[in-house]
Amino acid sequence: MIAKALTIAGSDSGGGAGIQADLKSFAAMGVYGASVVTAITAQNTQAVTAIHAVPDEIVAAQIKATLDDIDIHAIKIGMLGTPSLIQVVAEALSSFSGPVVLDPVMVAKSGDTLLADSAIDALTTQLIPRATLLTPNLPEAEKLVGVGTLQQQSARLLDLGARAVLMKGGHAEGATCVDALVTRDATHEFSAHRVETDNTHGTGCSFSSAIAACLAQGLTLEASVTRAHNWLHQAIVQADMLEVGHGHGPVHHFHALWT
């Protein structure tokens, strides 16, 4: 039986982030992927030029249709956008008992806003307490809990109810990129040399969905982050060979299969 994961996120017409990146990541990890589309974006490697939100009731219907029929082993949540949609997703997942990886998508690689400020409170009160793992980058952590050290921010995020937090260091400076997996009991760091490339579109989506795929396969949280971290690093290393678009191109999800 193949492990099955569900992504609840926005669609990226350029194929590098969002649902498209999530499904590619699931497949690269050897997991069957199902999807619930929360928004349709007109997007490429340079900009997000339009966003059309899928009606809340259609999002709820997609989740119900999927969970009623398919034995989903893990869920990844990405772009939601509005307080009402966050509430709908939280209610739709009330009976799901498996692991949930929540990627608090707020800003696209191009700098375009994907989450309204008014939705942050709904995210912190309704979905973060449901998260097995929360995966903010540094700007997202600051928006959620304010400025502070990594230890201070992760402690505040845990206080919001997440069982674990993966503080992603891609926005930090230095030759080494460090991600920190923080729980109440321990902190585990994952380091890699920083790759000089503009082609990092969809790294956050890909990382969180790869972790969800590993959790769906029954790996522990630390083992899931380790495997996903190593895979994503190689996807970034091989990204330049794809030559997709004229802005921030995608990572190479299938680097292990073809180059």
Side-chain angles (χ1 to χ4, degrees):
M1 181 184 69
I2 190 171
K4 293 166 279 288
L6 170 66
T7 169
I8 303 173
S11 172
D12 172 7
S13 57
I19 283 227
Q20 287 80 355
D22 295 342
L23 292 175
K24 291 174 185 177
S25 301
F26 290 165
M29 295 290 106
V31 168
Y32 178 86
S35 61
V36 168
V37 180
T38 61
I40 301 168
T41 69
Q43 184 175 175
N44 54 33
T45 64
Q46 300 181 77
V48 179
T49 57
I51 298 175
H52 174 72
V54 174
D56 292 353
E57 63 271 21
I58 300 300
V59 174
Q62 291 179 80
I63 296 173
K64 184 177 188 304
T66 304
L67 296 182
D68 280 353
D69 179 55
I70 301 173
D71 185 14
I72 296 295
H73 300 103
I75 294 176
K76 176 267 171 87
I77 302 175
M79 177 184 176
L80 296 179
T82 65
S84 63
L85 181 55
I86 290 169
Q87 180 177 349
V88 162
V89 170
E91 291 174 351
L93 296 184
S94 60
S95 61
F96 179 74
S97 59
V100 173
V101 178
L102 175 58
D103 187 21
V105 177
M106 297 182 180
V107 180
K109 187 69 67 178
S110 59
D112 297 280
T113 298
L114 300 177
L115 180 73
D117 287 343
S118 60
I120 292 177
D121 183 64
L123 190 72
T124 57
T125 59
Q126 297 186 53
L127 271 183
I128 288 181
R130 178 62 185 85
T132 306
L133 178 67
L134 181 67
T135 63
N137 59 34
L138 299 182
E140 289 164 349
E142 184 173 327
K143 269 186 167 289
L144 288 170
V145 294
V147 297
T149 65
L150 181 148
Q151 292 78 11
Q152 291 170 334
Q153 289 178 319
S154 57
R156 293 171 196 161
L157 291 169
L158 290 173
D159 285 342
L160 292 175
R163 279 180 268 173
V165 179
L166 180 65
M167 301 288 286
K168 298 180 295 189
H171 287 74
E173 301 294 331
T176 301
C177 179
V178 180
D179 301 321
L181 175 63
V182 184
T183 66
R184 292 288 185 188
D185 301 320
T187 296
H188 301 279
E189 293 189 346
F190 303 84
S191 301
H193 71 270
R194 194 175 298 277
V195 180
E196 294 299 325
T197 179
D198 290 329
N199 298 317
T200 56
H201 185 51
T203 49
C205 303
S206 301
F207 197 6
S208 58
S209 53
I211 296 168
C214 293
L215 291 171
Q217 293 172 317
L219 275 67
T220 66
L221 183 56
E222 185 178 352
S224 296
V225 175
T226 299
R227 183 181 176 213
H229 180 272
N230 294 337
W231 166 80
L232 180 62
H233 179 67
Q234 288 303 315
I236 297 171
V237 168
Q238 299 292 334
D240 287 357
M241 69 163 291
L242 295 180
E243 298 183 3
V244 175
H246 298 88
H248 294 285
V251 301
H252 190 347
H253 295 87
F254 299 110
H255 58 83
L257 298 178
W258 53 270
T259 57

